[in-house]
């Protein structure tokens, strides 16, 4: 199963967004997005909710519990 870092990068790229674009849209730093995608940090629950709403996906999918 894919982990959060992989899913985030996949969703970002599918939506043709750079890390800077996504950071601007969800109001976090580019470094934050970079660290999440490098699996150096994990987002807090509020950030997961923002990401799920932005990408219109479930938290189970985003964090890798489900493949759909």
């Amino acid at each position: 199963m894919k982990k959060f870092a992989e899913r985030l990068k996949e969703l970002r790229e599918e939506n043709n967004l750079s890390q800077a674009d996504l950071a601007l849209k969800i109001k976090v730093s580019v470094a934050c997005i970079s660290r999440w995608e490098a699996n150096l940090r994990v987002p807090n629950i509020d950030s997961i909710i923002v990401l799920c709403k932005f990408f219109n996906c479930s938290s189970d999918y985003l964090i890798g519990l489900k493949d759909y």
Side-chain angles (χ1 to χ4, degrees):
M1 252 192 263
K2 293 186 179 182
K3 294 182 180 181
F4 168 78
E6 296 172 79
R7 287 276 164 85
L8 176 60
K9 184 175 182 178
E10 184 179 88
L11 286 166
R12 180 180 59 75
E13 290 176 345
E14 284 175 2
N15 285 274
N16 298 311
L17 297 168
S18 67
Q19 289 183 345
D21 294 333
L22 179 58
L24 185 64
K25 290 182 183 292
I26 67 166
K27 297 179 174 72
V28 298
S29 69
V30 176
C32 186
I33 301 294
S34 178
R35 288 182 189 119
W36 289 344
E37 288 188 3
N39 208 27
L40 298 174
R41 309 256 324 184
V42 293
N44 63 31
I45 191 68
D46 293 329
S47 296
I48 290 173
I49 291 168
V50 168
L51 288 165
C52 289
K53 287 181 178 180
F54 181 81
F55 289 118
N56 193 31
C57 67
S58 71
S59 57
D60 283 351
Y61 175 79
L62 185 61
I63 64 175
L65 294 177
K66 293 189 178 181
D67 287 332
Y68 51 88

